[in-house]
Amino acid sequence: MDATPGDDAVESEVSGPETADPRRRRRGRLAPEPELFEAAPNEVPPTPAPALDPAARKAATEALEARILSHLNPEQARAVTTTEGPVLILAGAGSGKTRVLAHRVAYLIGVKRIRPWQILAVTFTNRAAGELRERIIALAGPEAGKEVEAGTFHSLCARVLRRDGEAIGVDRRFVIYDADDQQQLMKQILRDEDMPATGEFKPSVILGAISRAKNEMLDATFLAEHAVSHHARVVAKLAKAYERRLREVGALDFDDLLLAAVRL
């Protein structure tokens, strides 16, 4: 699976940097989804079916297990059925990673009796997350499948922050800046600083330096305090202006979604 946010990393609401009210212009809205780690749906349970005797229950579970594993090769089946303790699976492109994840979730629900809303399945892109969710529904059924928390790292972090972000000063109404918004914002900052948006100070170059710093959990203040060259000092200055502008319009970029979730 691709490991970059790309165009489909987050289904989000996005605002341009020049908009005074960041919620006035929206190219999309983060799809409403169930909150993470919520309790079981508060519904009146249906009339329970007659309880199976232990032998019949065991036979039904074994039949379900056989159906889940029937289309997997031995290594895939081992990855699906190893459910005690942490598991690390190393697999290349086209080896059936999404298939294994979907069957593993179905196995946990149907064979191990894990409640679906207690399962979190995370992937990198919305496309992969959508495919994973569809496969889980096909295997586990629509009711259980839709209760599994499945999504991208960025979309799940966004949902966590919309629910609990105010504990670290993140307004739950924040907007998400995509790559185009970031480019526009940095171009505006360079114009305000009377700097050319070319060469080593191209918006993409500056934003790349800021992103690498964020991936190391380093903020603009740290960059300024540890700058040892003219270029590093300029990057730190632009990073401070960039972060200030984001705060002014109540926005987070893709890196901020992950960092803020870690802080929370």
Side-chain angles (χ1 to χ4, degrees):
M1 289 179 283
D2 296 333
T4 55
D7 294 332
D8 63 349
V10 183
E11 297 169 337
S12 62
E13 56 182 328
V14 183
S15 171
E18 75 284 356
T19 307
D21 181 355
R23 287 168 291 281
R24 191 169 296 170
R25 179 174 66 83
R26 300 180 181 178
R27 287 202 292 269
R29 187 184 300 274
L30 192 68
E33 302 182 52
E35 291 191 349
L36 299 180
F37 318 122
E38 63 185 357
N42 186 20
E43 299 178 353
V44 178
T47 302
L52 296 176
D53 62 76
R57 179 179 293 277
K58 180 179 180 181
T61 299
E62 290 175 348
L64 177 60
E65 180 177 9
R67 182 173 67 83
I68 292 174
L69 302 179
S70 61
H71 298 293
L72 303 177
N73 64 39
E75 288 304 309
Q76 291 173 335
R78 188 159 70 97
V80 167
T81 57
T82 304
T83 59
E84 298 301 322
V87 177
L88 173 64
I89 303 170
L90 302 179
S95 57
K97 295 185 296 296
T98 303
R99 171 192 290 248
V100 167
L101 287 175
H103 282 72
R104 184 176 171 87
V105 171
Y107 185 86
L108 289 171
I109 295 172
V111 178
K112 293 298 183 177
R113 305 296 179 186
I114 303 299
R115 296 178 178 86
W117 57 87
Q118 293 179 328
I119 298 175
L120 177 64
V122 188
T123 185
F124 287 104
T125 67
N126 281 329
R127 179 180 178 181
E131 181 181 354
L132 177 61
R133 187 179 294 110
E134 289 175 0
R135 293 191 184 191
I136 291 172
I137 290 173
L139 289 166
E143 183 175 349
K146 290 179 180 179
E147 291 177 353
V148 174
E149 289 291 349
T152 67
F153 285 96
H154 293 87
S155 65
L156 290 169
C157 286
R159 271 184 270 166
V160 168
L161 293 172
R162 292 199 187 281
R163 187 188 69 181
D164 297 319
E166 290 181 346
I168 57 170
V170 176
D171 191 324
R172 67 178 57 194
R173 298 168 298 175
F174 67 84
V175 293
I176 302 171
Y177 270 24
D178 65 9
D180 289 339
D181 294 318
Q182 291 176 273
Q183 289 274 342
Q184 293 174 23
L185 176 55
M186 186 53 65
K187 287 178 181 178
Q188 182 61 53
I189 292 172
L190 290 169
R191 284 194 296 268
D192 293 344
E193 296 291 334
D194 197 23
M195 295 177 59
T198 58
E200 61 181 353
F201 296 122
K202 287 176 59 176
S204 59
V205 174
I206 300 300
L207 290 169
I210 294 173
S211 180
R212 287 191 295 273
K214 287 185 177 182
N215 288 334
E216 297 293 331
M217 301 191 73
L218 307 176
D219 59 17
T221 300
F222 181 94
L223 295 180
E225 292 175 349
H226 293 79
V228 296
S229 67
H230 173 68
H231 180 266
R233 286 190 289 272
V234 172
V235 169
K237 178 181 178 181
L238 295 174
K240 280 189 174 182
Y242 175 76
E243 294 303 322
R244 184 178 66 252
R245 297 287 184 90
L246 288 180
R247 288 195 301 271
E248 288 173 353
V249 297
L252 301 177
D253 63 21
F254 288 127
D255 293 319
D256 291 329
L257 293 175
L258 305 182
L259 287 176
V262 170
R263 285 173 51 210
L264 181 63

